[in-house]
């Protein structure tokens, strides 16, 4: 079983920053591309960012491009999401997961979701 444990969320004012972490266990983390997703109240879960297994390539939703940075530490089985210049519309529960690939059709979760971490941005 793969376990995904997200942390680092909180309440922040618009323009502020947060760094999310996703600790993984149970499988060979370093072989998978990883991604962050988010789900706002009343909305579908949406893709935010993805990173190649090597960490050398990353991809972002247009809504976060230039503000968010995804990274990973394969030695620690952890993936991060640095979020800067936060906006109220970034308010959501954030989740991580391993992905099937990095093409648009493969930005799908491989495993069951974790509990997520709440990010709330006040205006």
């Amino acid at each position: 079983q793969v376990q995904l444990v997200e942390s680092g969320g909180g309440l922040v004012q618009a323009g502020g920053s947060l760094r999310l972490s996703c600790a993984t266990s149970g499988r060979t983390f370093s072989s998978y591309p990883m991604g962050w997703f988010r789900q706002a109240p009343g909305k579908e879960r949406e893709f935010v960012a993805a990173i190649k297994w090597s960490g050398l390539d990353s991809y972002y939703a247009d809504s976060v491009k230039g503000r968010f940075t995804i990274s990973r530490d394969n030695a620690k089985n952890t993936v991060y999401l640095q979020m800067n210049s936060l906006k109220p519309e970034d308010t959501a529960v954030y989740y991580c997961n391993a992905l099937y690939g990095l093409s648009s059709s493969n930005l799908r979760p491989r495993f069951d979701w974790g509990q997520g971490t709440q990010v709330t941005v006040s205006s």
Side-chain angles (χ1 to χ4, degrees):
Q1 286 288 345
V2 171
Q3 291 186 333
L4 303 162
V5 180
E6 301 91 346
S7 62
L11 173 63
V12 63
Q13 288 189 331
S17 298
L18 283 173
R19 189 193 194 205
L20 307 184
S21 298
C22 171
T24 72
S25 62
R27 288 289 180 95
T28 307
F29 164 81
S30 61
S31 65
Y32 295 123
M34 294 292 295
W36 284 95
F37 297 76
R38 67 186 182 186
Q39 187 168 20
K43 295 189 176 181
E44 296 287 323
R45 194 169 336 214
E46 64 176 2
F47 166 76
V48 174
I51 189 166
K52 198 173 181 179
W53 67 271
S54 63
L56 295 179
D57 293 298
S58 56
Y59 306 88
Y60 300 91
D62 288 343
S63 58
V64 306
K65 203 170 292 183
R67 300 187 298 120
F68 290 11
T69 302
I70 188 172
S71 61
R72 65 191 296 163
D73 185 336
N74 288 343
K76 295 182 178 180
N77 291 341
T78 302
V79 62
Y80 305 97
L81 186 68
Q82 177 67 44
M83 306 187 297
N84 298 329
S85 302
L86 282 161
K87 304 176 181 180
E89 50 263 43
D90 294 319
T91 295
V93 179
Y94 283 71
Y95 303 86
C96 70
N97 213 311
L99 304 173
Y100 282 95
L102 294 173
S103 62
S104 58
S105 62
N106 284 321
L107 292 175
R108 298 177 290 115
R110 278 182 176 267
F111 305 116
D112 291 341
W113 297 104
Q115 84 288 348
T117 186
Q118 176 71 48
V119 172
T120 303
V121 184
S122 63
S123 57

